[in-house]
Amino acid sequence: MKRVSLSKAECPVARSLDAIGDWWTLLIVRDAFDGVRRFGAFQKNLGIARGMLTARLKEMVERGVMTVTPASDGTAYQEYVLTEKGRDLFAVVVALRQWGEAHLYAPGEPHSTLVARATEQRVGRLQVRAANGRPLRWDDTEVRTLKASPGGSVAKPTGRPRRVPRTPRSTK
Amino acid sequence: MKRVSLSKAECPVARSLDAIGDWWTLLIVRDAFDGVRRFGAFQKNLGIARGMLTARLKEMVERGVMTVTPASDGTAYQEYVLTEKGRDLFAVVVALRQWGEAHLYAPGEPHSTLVARATEQRVGRLQVRAANGRPLRWDDTEVRTLKASPGGSVAKPTGRPRRVPRTPRSTK
């Protein structure tokens, strides 16, 4: 896969995608959220080649997404644990899960679910909100690029204003 | 990049990653949210090779993420517009943006921001919540795999319970 480096991008979306690298990273993070800690367990869960997993884990440690600790049971194994930076990918993983749940399964087709431990109820759908908590649709928002943002207020719409007409969105 | 097919995965995270394919897709979606509609404009913004962009857009149309429409100005151009399925990737793009903003910029390093049009204020941080609206940390949640989920209630913890000890998380 041809990759353009986005590590210096002004856009945090691009910089995040660059830092994450490829899908394996997010699948490893997903498994770590589920309690997987050891190389062999990641390998078994993911069906990933040893060399690929070694490279991904090394990169994740270098980037501060995971850290290596001695085994929690006193054996000689190393364990891989999410850092706070890694745990902060939780919303990314949940957003991917919910998009898949909504759009990639046939009606009635079973899939795993994410529940609140306390209630066994499925977690709510992620909602983008304004600073005051008001729900925002995608077209209630706009990206402010650097040229326009230093002062915080914008005299006129910037770089790439949304030219998409506001169309009714089906309720769901 | 070696890819294992995850299109039949029980895990919606894996199935989403498979459906999205690679980072280009999310960068194209990001640009579409910003109002980009034409092949040449995507190409210019992304610095992507023509053949790669053609393949990605074709795949996105086939997967129902984008649709092709006649140009809005009456010219012979085709335009690419997000479907509802594509627009539903908004939370994924915002989650990636917010992770990058929090962790991938040096203090004071500028980046683009996502604001509510109505107020020019930056959107709030995405928060995973229970069905009743209560905020949930990652370790307040748990994945229920298929074997345990059909009845909706679970007799004992399933497949991959989280064995990570609950550690204090710094407030931020």
Side-chain angles (χ1 to χ4, degrees), chain A residues 35-57:
Chain A
V36 176
R37 299 166 75 100
R38 293 198 184 165
F39 188 94
F42 285 115
Q43 201 191 357
K44 189 176 161 207
N45 270 350
L46 296 169
I48 182 177
R50 275 187 82 80
M52 177 77 85
L53 180 57
T54 302
R56 281 299 157 282
L57 288 170

Side-chain angles (χ1 to χ4, degrees), chain B residues 8-77:
Chain B
K8 297 296 171 200
E10 284 180 8
C11 171
V13 180
R15 209 178 271 202
S16 287
L17 293 173
D18 183 82
I20 292 170
D22 71 24
W23 292 147
W24 285 122
T25 305
L26 286 177
L27 291 173
I28 292 167
V29 168
R30 175 202 64 177
D31 279 0
F33 279 127
D34 289 345
V36 177
R37 300 166 75 102
R38 294 198 183 165
F39 188 94
F42 285 114
Q43 201 191 359
K44 189 175 162 208
N45 270 351
L46 296 168
I48 184 177
R50 274 187 82 82
M52 177 77 85
L53 180 58
T54 301
R56 282 298 157 283
L57 287 170
K58 180 164 176 287
E59 211 170 75
M60 291 166 78
V61 170
E62 282 167 2
R63 295 185 176 207
V65 168
M66 290 194 121
T67 187
V68 184
T69 65
S72 41
D73 60 2
T75 59
Y77 289 102

Side-chain angles (χ1 to χ4, degrees), chain A residues 32-146:
Chain A
F33 278 127
D34 288 347
V36 176
R37 299 166 75 100
R38 293 198 184 165
F39 188 94
F42 285 115
Q43 201 191 357
K44 189 176 161 207
N45 270 350
L46 296 169
I48 182 177
R50 275 187 82 80
M52 177 77 85
L53 180 57
T54 302
R56 281 299 157 282
L57 288 170
K58 181 165 178 285
E59 210 170 76
M60 290 166 79
V61 170
E62 284 168 1
R63 294 184 178 209
V65 168
M66 290 195 121
T67 186
V68 184
T69 65
S72 41
D73 61 3
T75 60
Y77 289 103
Q78 285 191 323
E79 294 188 343
Y80 294 87
V81 178
L82 293 171
T83 60
E84 183 183 331
K85 181 176 177 179
R87 293 195 301 268
D88 260 3
L89 284 165
F90 188 49
V92 173
V93 173
V94 173
L96 285 164
R97 160 178 284 281
Q98 294 185 336
W99 185 72
E101 289 177 351
H103 295 289
L104 302 178
Y105 289 82
E109 186 182 2
H111 54 73
S112 71
T113 54
L114 183 69
V115 304
R117 285 170 180 276
T119 61
E120 290 292 334
Q121 284 195 297
R122 286 173 64 178
V123 305
R125 190 80 193 260
L126 280 174
Q127 172 69 58
V128 177
R129 292 176 187 274
N132 66 7
R134 188 171 61 87
L136 296 172
R137 286 170 27 148
W138 69 277
D139 54 356
D140 293 323
T141 70
E142 196 157 40
V143 170
R144 293 285 172 250
T145 53
L146 288 189

Side-chain angles (χ1 to χ4, degrees), chain B:
Chain B
M1 183 175 63
K2 193 177 166 193
R3 285 281 299 289
V4 174
S5 176
L6 301 166
S7 66
K8 297 296 171 200
E10 284 180 8
C11 171
V13 180
R15 209 178 271 202
S16 287
L17 293 173
D18 183 82
I20 292 170
D22 71 24
W23 292 147
W24 285 122
T25 305
L26 286 177
L27 291 173
I28 292 167
V29 168
R30 175 202 64 177
D31 279 0
F33 279 127
D34 289 345
V36 177
R37 300 166 75 102
R38 294 198 183 165
F39 188 94
F42 285 114
Q43 201 191 359
K44 189 175 162 208
N45 270 351
L46 296 168
I48 184 177
R50 274 187 82 82
M52 177 77 85
L53 180 58
T54 301
R56 282 298 157 283
L57 287 170
K58 180 164 176 287
E59 211 170 75
M60 291 166 78
V61 170
E62 282 167 2
R63 295 185 176 207
V65 168
M66 290 194 121
T67 187
V68 184
T69 65
S72 41
D73 60 2
T75 59
Y77 289 102
Q78 286 191 320
E79 294 188 343
Y80 294 88
V81 178
L82 293 171
T83 61
E84 183 182 330
K85 181 176 177 179
R87 293 193 301 265
D88 260 2
L89 284 166
F90 188 50
V92 174
V93 173
V94 173
L96 285 164
R97 158 178 285 280
Q98 293 185 339
W99 185 71
E101 288 178 351
H103 295 290
L104 302 177
Y105 289 81
E109 187 182 0
H111 54 72
S112 71
T113 54
L114 182 69
V115 303
R117 285 170 180 275
T119 61
E120 289 293 333
Q121 284 195 297
R122 285 173 65 178
V123 305
R125 190 81 192 258
L126 280 174
Q127 171 69 58
V128 178
R129 292 175 187 274
N132 66 8
R134 188 171 59 88
L136 296 172
R137 285 170 32 147
W138 69 277
D139 54 357
D140 294 324
T141 69
E142 197 156 39
V143 170
R144 293 287 173 247
T145 53
L146 288 190
K147 281 181 285 291
S149 60
S153 76
V154 184
K156 54 180 181 177
T158 92
R160 296 180 299 169
R162 292 191 176 158
R163 287 154 295 171
V164 183
R166 293 173 73 96
T167 52
R169 196 179 191 183
S170 71
T171 54
K172 31 171 291 173

